[in-house]
Structure formats: C-alpha cells, structure tokens
Amino acid sequence: MPAQTSHKPPQRGLRADARENRDRILRAAREAFATQGIDVPVAAIARRAGVGVATLYRRFPTRDALVTEAFAEQLGHCVSVLDEGLADPDPWRGFCTVVERVCLMQAADRGFTQAFLTEFPDQADFARERSRAEEGLALLIRRAKEAGALRQDFEPGDVTLLLLANCGVTSGAGEEAATASRRLAAYLLHAFRADAAAPLPRPARLGLERIHA
Amino acid sequence: MPAQTSHKPPQRGLRADARENRDRILRAAREAFATQGIDVPVAAIARRAGVGVATLYRRFPTRDALVTEAFAEQLGHCVSVLDEGLADPDPWRGFCTVVERVCLMQAADRGFTQAFLTEFPDQADFARERSRAEEGLALLIRRAKEAGALRQDFEPGDVTLLLLANCGVTSGAGEEAATASRRLAAYLLHAFRADAAAPLPRPARLGLERIHA
DNA sequence: GGGTAAACGGACGCCCCTCTCCGTTTGAGC
DNA sequence: GCTCAAACGGAGAGGGGCGTCCGTTTACCC
C-alpha cells in the first residue's frame, strides 16, 4: 500500500472553489467554536463562512466530523508542545511548560475546553495522537521523577486530573479564564513537586481516554 | 409585615393531592438531575414523577424555577457544612473539612456540578445564601491565616477556583468522580498550606457570583 | 351527597437544530 | 467557447424540547 500521506486526505482532487470553501468553513468553525462554544449551530458556521449549509455538509458529512477536523489542529499543537517539553534538558521545567501551555490553550478556546469535557467524536485519528501523547507524557513524567523534582506518587492520571480541573476553571471563569487557569496550574504544579510530598488519597484511574467517557 | 416563614412559600394552602404531587416532582427532579445531568427534558421528570407536564408547570412555571427549587436543599446543605467548619476550634482543619465535603457533594451529584458550571437561575434566594456563604468563608479564611496554617496570599477567589476545578473533574471523570475529586482536593489543600509557600501568579478575580457568569 | 374551585393530563403550537433534496451555477479540460 | 461533472445554496423534512390550552377529574366544604 502507498504510504498514507499524513492524516488530511480529502484535500487533493477538489475543485479550486471547493477547496477554498472547505478552508473557509474550517476557519469559520474554529472561530465560532472558540468564541461561542462547541454548541454553535451548523447554520451559524456556514453563514460565517459565507457558504450554504449544504456545502458544509458535503465536506463534513456530520456535525461531529466538522468538530473533529476543526480541533485536529489544536490537538497537533498540543502534541508539539509536548515534544518541546521533552526536548528540554530539565525534565521538570519541561513538564511545567507543557502543563502551563496546554492549560492556556484551553483557556483561550472555549470550544476546545468543552470538547474535552463533553463526549467527543472518537475518530481514529484522535486515538493515534492520544496514544502518542500518552507515551510522551509518561516518558516526561518518568524523567522528572528520576531527576527528583516530581513527587514519586505522582501518576499519569494526575495529568488528566489537572486538565479536567482546568476545563472546569476555564469554562466557568469567563473573561478571567486565562488568569484563573494560570493560578490553578501554579497551585497544582506546586503540589506536584517532590519536596512538597505529603500523603495523598488513592489516585483516580483516569487515562487520557477517560476524558471522553 | 409578618416574619417571612422561611423561604418555602408555596407549600401551604395547597390541596392534599397537589402537595403530594409537588413533592414527587421535586424528588424526581433531584434524582434525574443527579444521575442524568441538568439537561434532562422536563417531560422525563414529569414521567418519572408520575404526573403530566402541565402539573409540573403549574407548580414550577418555568424550567429554571424547578432547577432552582431542586437545588435549594443542596445549597442549604453546603451552608450547614460551612457552619460546621466554622465551629471547628482548628480553623485549618475546619477549612479542609469544608472543602473536602463540598467537593464530594459535587462529585455525587452530576446536576449540582453542572449547575455550578453553566449559567444558573439567579433567584433572590440564592443571592442571600451566597452572600452568607461568602461571609462565613471569608471569616474561616481569615482565621486560618491568623493561625499560620493557610498561606498569606490565599484569597477567597481561590475557593471559587477550587470549586470550578472540581466541577471539571467531577463532570469528566465518570464513575471515578469521587476518587478524582478527593485527590484534587488533597493536592490543592496541600498547595494552600502556608509552609508550602512559593510565589504565585496574580489571582483571578473570581467571586462566588462569578461562578454563574 | 352535592357543588365548586382547584388540580389534572395529554395534545398541540412554537421554535430551533440537524441533515437532505433538487434545481441552478461554475470550474476545468478539450 | 462548449460540455458536463462537480459544486453550490436554499427550502424543507424530521425530531425534540419548552411551555400552553382546555376538557375532565377530584378534594374539600357545607
């Protein structure tokens, strides 16, 4: 079989106007989701993009498909943030950076946050990205522990915990979202430090996939 | 004027069957909200209560009125938890108890949590309870600081921060909600301790009323 | 037990959202 | 420039939730 050309198949072979419209729809969707939340009617997105609803549905057969595609970019961004964190010679600093950046991404995009909280289209693409993210994260955590910076009883599910917590904060805090998110991250990162160790209750069994349960 | 007899006016003077039905509706609503979330259709609540929709709407003229009334009990419970915390001779322990208990209440009731996160009917009753809660909380915080247990740069908005964070966790963690909530509370309470002090970013301006912005 | 106002319940109107159908327009190759 | 498949867009079908109307039933009082 031919090497699968990235995960954006339906771009090639489209007529010029169709491709243009497809881009406008995606841009409009991202804007709408970010500002109005993930529940904006499809019609509103179409209007914002300057196309008819039928055009939108021709490219994205269902609402979920559009949501998925619209957030693929953000998801990719998350992964690259993680890569940067892994590249940092100081694993603790790398870990902190990842957490802070992702939290701020959530704070800046209401739709992205909601997508985390509510059930989400579990497309195949996402599963792949997610498992990559899980591996990278586990590696970063292991390194940070070995460096003696991250507490020993920390575990990967605690990252999910933090992300969910941040979802709540960013959904609820309105315009203060970014400030609140920063403060939450600071508090939690502080509690995660090894030198802050004090007994913890047993961990929740939260994988990254649990997020969309 | 006659002393206002608590804040449950429309109980007296109802016909026996009507009062019975009213209670069943409230019970059904609380169950439905707790298990299915705050978005259950009114019709489902009516069915569960064994009454027609019209009967429901006769007692609770709008959906929001029903939600408000259904959660009044929980809100009262929160306040009494706070009172208990205030009664503890050790203000830090009192503070921890309040936080942990309220977090677990949220974890146990999906609807209550959602009501925190999403916009909420700002009924007059609630404003009163809320300001009482704010005062009590501020007092508890002041005492805990004076006792040297709570960090000096902690501020009331951080309680809102914690509650919102817990909302996110409990909405997202499914059956692990209680476990996750406990762990989050432990982490944050730990970070709130005075002996854990490290510089924080500037606080978010979150009052309790901000929760429903 | 009989009269009456209160309470009941289901059917219905209204609105909004998702997705489809179909007649019209347009880009691309010759 | 001509042809035609590809793309377009608006109108509308289908479904669901909120709140109301109105004919029927029932508790309470005498």
Side-chain angles (χ1 to χ4, degrees):
Chain A
M1 54 185 145
Q4 55 208 66
T5 59
S6 96
H7 62 94
K8 284 184 175 180
Q11 197 93 354
R12 230 195 176 87
L14 279 187
R15 230 168 63 178
D17 54 346
R19 182 154 61 246
E20 159 80 5
N21 277 338
R22 187 174 187 282
D23 286 354
R24 301 214 327 217
I25 290 168
L26 271 180
R27 235 175 303 137
R30 279 195 265 262
E31 285 171 21
F33 290 149
T35 57
Q36 331 249 111
I38 210 175
D39 289 327
V40 279
V42 171
I45 296 174
R47 206 176 322 119
R48 187 189 278 252
V51 304
V53 264
T55 299
L56 193 157
Y57 276 103
R58 200 168 305 110
R59 294 296 151 241
F60 308 96
T62 169
R63 178 198 175 76
D64 278 356
L66 175 60
V67 173
T68 304
E69 189 74 20
F71 286 121
E73 195 188 52
Q74 299 251 2
L75 213 67
H77 197 215
C78 284
V79 172
S80 75
V81 164
L82 177 59
D83 286 341
E84 279 182 53
L86 279 166
D88 194 315
D90 176 349
W92 171 252
R93 195 176 54 194
F95 179 75
C96 290
T97 312
V98 171
V99 165
E100 285 160 0
R101 302 265 300 271
V102 174
C103 283
L104 285 184
M105 281 179 58
Q106 285 187 337
D109 189 329
R110 190 172 158 192
F112 192 46
T113 299
Q114 279 180 294
F116 256 84
L117 267 179
T118 66
E119 66 236 279
F120 204 72
D122 320 61
Q123 299 279 70
D125 289 4
F126 279 49
R128 203 183 325 142
E129 302 276 9
R130 196 167 54 202
S131 69
R132 263 196 60 199
E134 260 169 357
E135 286 166 28
L137 213 47
L139 179 59
L140 190 54
I141 288 169
R142 185 151 19 98
R143 285 192 198 153
K145 278 185 186 174
E146 282 165 7
L150 184 62
R151 54 192 301 166
Q152 289 300 319
D153 55 357
F154 184 88
E155 55 163 80
D158 289 337
V159 174
T160 308
L161 192 72
L162 180 150
L163 289 180
L164 287 177
N166 192 55
C167 282
V169 165
T170 54
S171 330
E175 309 149 24
E176 291 283 317
T179 314
S181 177
R182 243 189 296 269
R183 195 158 166 107
L184 176 76
Y187 270 134
L188 280 177
L189 284 175
H190 180 83
F192 292 163
R193 281 203 64 99
D195 51 32
L200 276 181
R202 88 174 165 83
R205 295 184 26 233
L206 295 176
L208 276 189
E209 86 287 352
R210 266 285 177 173
I211 280 179
H212 308 141
Chain B
M1 51 186 144
Q4 56 208 67
T5 60
S6 95
H7 62 92
K8 286 185 175 180
Q11 195 95 353
R12 230 198 175 85
L14 279 188
R15 231 167 64 176
D17 54 346
R19 183 154 62 244
E20 159 81 4
N21 278 337
R22 187 173 188 280
D23 286 353
R24 300 207 338 210
I25 291 169
L26 272 180
R27 235 176 302 138
R30 279 195 266 260
E31 283 171 22
F33 290 150
T35 59
Q36 330 250 110
I38 209 175
D39 289 327
V40 279
V42 172
I45 296 173
R47 206 176 322 120
R48 187 188 276 254
V51 303
V53 263
T55 300
L56 194 158
Y57 277 106
R58 199 167 307 108
R59 294 297 152 240
F60 307 96
T62 169
R63 179 199 174 75
D64 277 357
L66 176 60
V67 174
T68 305
E69 189 74 19
F71 285 121
E73 194 186 51
Q74 299 252 1
L75 213 69
H77 197 215
C78 284
V79 172
S80 74
V81 164
L82 178 58
D83 286 341
E84 279 182 52
L86 279 166
D88 194 315
D90 177 349
W92 171 252
R93 196 175 54 194
F95 179 74
C96 290
T97 311
V98 171
V99 164
E100 285 160 0
R101 301 266 300 269
V102 173
C103 283
L104 285 184
M105 281 180 58
Q106 284 188 337
D109 188 330
R110 189 170 159 194
F112 192 45
T113 299
Q114 279 181 294
F116 258 84
L117 268 180
T118 65
E119 65 235 281
F120 204 74
D122 320 62
Q123 299 278 70
D125 289 4
F126 279 48
R128 203 183 325 140
E129 302 276 9
R130 196 168 53 202
S131 68
R132 263 197 59 198
E134 260 168 359
E135 286 167 27
L137 213 47
L139 180 59
L140 190 53
I141 289 169
R142 185 152 17 96
R143 285 191 198 153
K145 278 186 186 173
E146 281 166 6
L150 184 62
R151 54 192 301 165
Q152 289 300 317
D153 55 358
F154 184 88
E155 56 162 79
D158 288 337
V159 173
T160 307
L161 192 71
L162 180 150
L163 290 179
L164 287 176
N166 191 55
C167 283
V169 166
T170 55
S171 330
E175 308 150 23
E176 292 282 317
T179 314
S181 177
R182 244 188 296 268
R183 195 159 167 106
L184 176 75
Y187 270 134
L188 281 177
L189 284 174
H190 180 83
F192 291 164
R193 280 203 64 99
D195 50 34
L200 277 179
R202 87 174 166 82
R205 295 183 26 230
L206 297 175
L208 277 189
E209 86 287 350
R210 265 284 176 174
I211 280 178
H212 309 139

